[in-house]
Amino acid sequence: MKLFYSILSLLCVLSLPPAYSQESDIPNIAYVYPAGVQRGSTAKFVIGGRGFKNARAILVTGGGLKASMGEITIPCDRNTKNGLMNRLEKKYLEESPELRAEVEKLGGIEGQRFLRNEIKKDPENIKKFNEIDESYHLRIVSSDALAETVEFELTADADAPIGERRLFLVGPYGVSNPVVFMVGSLPEFSKPSLRETARERAKNEKNKGKLIWGYMNKSFLVPEKSKPMEVKIPCVVNGQITEAKTDRYVFEAKKGQKIVAALAARQLIPYISDAVPGWFQAVLKIFDSKGKELAYNDDFFHRPDPYLLFEVPEDGKYTVEINDAIYRSREDFVYRLTLGEVPFVKSLFPLFVSDAGETELRVEGDNLPSDTIRVRRNRAGEFLFERESLFHNRIQLMATQAPSILSDSESAFLSGGKPDLLSAAPQKISAPICVDGVIRRPFQCDSYKITLAQGEQLLFETFARRLDSPLDSYLSVSDSSGKILAFSDDYEDASCPYVTHHADSKILFAAPYTGEYIIRVR
């Protein structure tokens, strides 16, 4: 339970040209693929979205990365081919009186059909139509909101800090929205992007002309079932769930290995406005070489991104499979899968750490070398771990300058005791203070006693779900006789828009008299 406010602010000032900004001129990023890089390597990436026509630079926070702009692609829309045909019709009629006379003689639809057949006899015209088809295909395999792309190359220094960054695209009239970009230490494997696949398909001779006049051929749009990709663990696998596919990756493992399979999807793109429930809901499965399902997960506590620990039953090859929960597919269904016998952090305690110096945290997870870890803040306010190569879900930490203590129940747990969690005497506290606790058992209720003067106001607030804890807290304030004077279940914090269930509690309490009050957290 935290009895104070913590406010973090980030001010980014950019120098922009003195011009009136138009919304359509400001880039909007829907995704970046792959969504990360191994430090000490160079790789190519693609950004999808809109408003990219005049994009001129890529920015990535955190240092140690250098990005260079590549090709910008603005695919043709459905009117481009019709516009070209209309211009050619006008040109042919103006330049050939004989042709014009024949068209007028036939009249109506027959005249137009005759004219268009004449136009299509010229190989140069057919070439132009096919080029439009190839470009238009890049739009129809996606959507208008994702159709434009910027390709870029990025180099990560060998000592680039590991962790989560933010990537921006800079245009002449503004900077895009940020997207998550990861820097890791493991080797990376990446499926070809949808755009690479679509370009190859569009250039295939069997598909030439299949989109003439806007008609779509099935073979042009629906690819063959992809084969599993072989990867060598430990690694990070990058992919997109597109065109109703299920992605499969084959890896070799030894009996007894404890393989971490942790997928980041919503962590990369927390909200997609037109994808119910608002994000890519991934499903993770592992099969043996005979196709028998051995492990399954579609979430991790309250987190939509799946995680599982797979203990290998025997030496051999195994297949990890990824798909959307209801088999949707979109170009922005981007994911990163950490796969291998690597140390994985599930939770840290406490979640509030010292604003200065180092803090030792208890750590829980799989394949961990120890049960503690030290963390410190740098000048930018980032939290740095003493061991970088620990893989984890996004773990939220907050800094405090207020005094901090452990709850009595947690102190008893750490000392090996088993307190009576229901009838234990309230723990005496005074404000301002942070109390770090854990609800470990069903029906556990942590209670605290505080003395207030009449009219004195205090804020009692739990920080749990906003720090990515699965706790759904309930908070109450009562008098010494047990009469409840105030309570709170779910408090919606508008500053945390990506919390899907606002499960923290908050009470602004004014003491009606001078005396003792009991605060309970359960």
Side-chain angles (χ1 to χ4, degrees):
M1 181 178 67
K2 313 299 172 186
L3 309 178
F4 73 106
Y5 273 120
S6 178
I7 300 174
L8 303 177
S9 65
L10 173 64
L11 178 62
C12 181
V13 181
L14 296 172
S15 177
L16 298 176
Y20 290 102
S21 174
Q22 299 294 323
E23 185 177 352
S24 60
D25 293 327
I26 298 177
N28 184 271
I29 300 178
Y31 69 89
V32 57
Y33 179 77
V37 67
Q38 180 187 13
R39 65 179 177 180
S41 69
T42 298
K44 293 183 178 180
F45 303 82
V46 60
I47 299 171
R50 60 168 54 179
F52 294 172
K53 182 178 180 180
N54 297 309
R56 62 190 188 191
I58 292 165
L59 301 177
V60 187
T61 62
L65 305 179
K66 183 179 180 181
S68 57
M69 289 274 292
E71 183 179 359
I72 298 175
T73 301
I74 313 293
C76 295
D77 59 28
R78 64 173 61 248
N79 297 318
T80 306
K81 182 177 289 182
N82 290 333
L84 175 59
M85 178 56 74
N86 291 338
R87 291 193 298 274
L88 289 173
E89 288 177 349
K90 183 179 179 180
K91 177 183 177 182
Y92 272 58
L93 292 175
E94 289 177 349
E95 294 180 354
S96 176
E98 296 84 1
L99 184 62
R100 183 182 188 93
E102 185 64 22
V103 170
E104 291 176 349
K105 177 181 176 182
L106 294 171
I109 295 177
E110 288 300 321
Q112 186 182 51
R113 183 180 293 119
F114 172 78
L115 175 59
R116 291 189 171 184
N117 285 335
E118 290 298 309
I119 290 172
K120 289 190 286 181
K121 287 179 181 179
D122 187 339
E124 281 299 313
N125 292 338
I126 293 299
K127 181 182 177 181
K128 292 177 182 178
F129 288 135
N130 286 341
E131 289 174 350
I132 292 173
D133 280 348
E134 291 179 16
S135 179
Y136 181 49
H137 181 54
L138 298 179
R139 183 174 294 274
I140 61 177
V141 295
S142 186
S143 67
D144 287 341
L146 285 65
E148 300 177 17
T149 57
V150 175
E151 296 172 39
F152 69 97
E153 187 174 86
L154 183 142
T155 299
D157 295 343
D159 59 350
I162 289 175
E164 187 174 301
R165 313 292 191 88
R166 294 294 182 271
L167 182 145
F168 302 83
L169 191 60
V170 181
Y173 302 112
V175 179
S176 74
N177 57 302
V179 290
V180 173
F181 188 83
M182 306 295 293
V183 178
S185 60
L186 295 179
E188 306 238 346
F189 292 85
S190 298
K191 278 177 44 185
S193 70
L194 175 63
R195 296 311 173 96
E196 292 176 82
T197 304
R199 282 194 176 102
E200 290 179 7
R201 194 185 311 152
K203 291 183 180 297
N204 193 314
E205 285 300 321
K206 72 177 183 179
N207 291 322
K208 295 297 184 183
K210 296 295 178 64
L211 282 178
I212 292 290
W213 318 128
Y215 293 105
M216 302 176 192
N217 182 278
K218 183 177 180 181
S219 68
F220 201 104
L221 295 175
V222 182
E224 297 179 357
K225 187 176 181 180
S226 60
K227 296 180 180 179
M229 175 187 286
E230 293 206 8
V231 299
K232 185 177 180 180
I233 60 173
C235 66
V236 171
V237 181
N238 296 279
Q240 295 169 293
I241 297 296
T242 59
E243 301 180 307
K245 286 184 182 178
T246 293
D247 288 351
R248 293 171 294 158
Y249 304 95
V250 176
F251 64 95
E252 286 192 15
K254 301 290 185 181
K255 181 178 180 179
Q257 280 189 299
K258 294 182 178 180
I259 303 298
V260 163
L263 191 137
R266 191 179 184 229
Q267 180 177 346
L268 303 176
I269 305 178
Y271 182 67
I272 303 174
S273 61
D274 53 350
V276 176
W279 56 82
F280 164 33
Q281 179 63 64
V283 174
L284 192 60
K285 305 172 190 173
I286 295 180
F287 298 85
D288 64 16
S289 58
K290 298 178 182 179
K292 180 182 178 181
E293 184 180 306
L294 303 179
Y296 172 98
N297 189 264
D298 63 355
D299 55 31
F300 178 58
F301 289 110
H302 62 288
R303 305 177 185 100
D305 288 346
Y307 169 84
L308 55 84
L309 182 69
F310 173 61
E311 187 165 352
V312 180
E314 59 184 25
D315 293 3
K317 289 189 174 183
Y318 295 87
T319 299
V320 59
E321 188 175 280
I322 300 166
N323 60 269
D324 177 69
I326 55 175
Y327 293 92
R328 301 169 301 167
S329 57
R330 290 173 53 112
E331 196 173 2
D332 50 0
F333 280 10
V334 174
Y335 61 83
R336 283 172 62 81
L337 172 67
T338 300
L339 188 64
E341 196 172 27
V342 297
F344 189 86
V345 176
K346 292 181 177 179
S347 65
L348 297 172
F349 181 84
L351 296 176
F352 274 67
V353 300
S354 172
D355 195 39
E358 288 191 338
T359 303
E360 185 172 87
L361 306 178
R362 293 208 316 274
V363 56
E364 294 184 2
D366 298 314
N367 300 331
L368 297 177
S370 69
D371 59 1
T372 62
I373 191 172
R374 301 194 70 83
V375 64
R376 62 182 175 83
R377 294 186 79 203
N378 62 15
R379 290 184 178 181
E382 300 169 318
F383 294 99
L384 305 178
F385 294 96
E386 62 179 352
R387 292 192 300 271
E388 281 190 323
S389 57
L390 288 176
F391 304 93
H392 53 81
N393 290 277
R394 176 184 291 138
I395 297 175
Q396 306 282 1
L397 295 173
M398 292 184 73
T400 176
Q401 296 178 345
S404 182
I405 63 172
L406 287 181
S407 65
D408 280 350
S409 62
E410 192 61 14
S411 296
F413 171 81
L414 293 176
S415 63
K418 294 183 178 180
D420 185 340
L421 299 178
L422 293 178
S423 60
Q427 182 176 352
K428 290 185 178 181
I429 60 173
S430 59
I433 197 168
C434 300
V435 183
D436 290 293
V438 182
I439 302 297
R440 293 186 172 274
R441 294 166 54 183
F443 307 111
Q444 178 178 341
C445 179
D446 290 350
S447 58
Y448 307 91
K449 181 186 293 185
I450 190 169
T451 301
L452 300 176
Q454 184 177 7
E456 186 176 356
Q457 286 192 334
L458 276 187
L459 177 67
F460 304 102
E461 186 169 9
T462 59
F463 285 83
R465 187 60 59 85
R466 284 171 290 176
L467 298 180
D468 216 19
S469 163
L471 176 67
D472 181 355
S473 66
Y474 185 88
L475 184 65
S476 67
V477 180
S478 61
D479 61 19
S480 56
S481 69
K483 180 182 177 181
I484 294 178
L485 304 177
F487 66 88
S488 173
D489 183 4
D490 297 337
Y491 157 68
E492 184 171 351
D493 186 346
S495 70
C496 299
Y498 297 135
V499 175
T500 54
H501 174 204
H502 288 265
D504 292 340
S505 310
K506 178 179 178 179
I507 297 173
L508 182 59
F509 182 72
Y513 59 85
T514 299
E516 292 183 335
Y517 296 86
I518 309 298
I519 305 106
R520 290 184 173 87
V521 181
R522 57 185 174 86

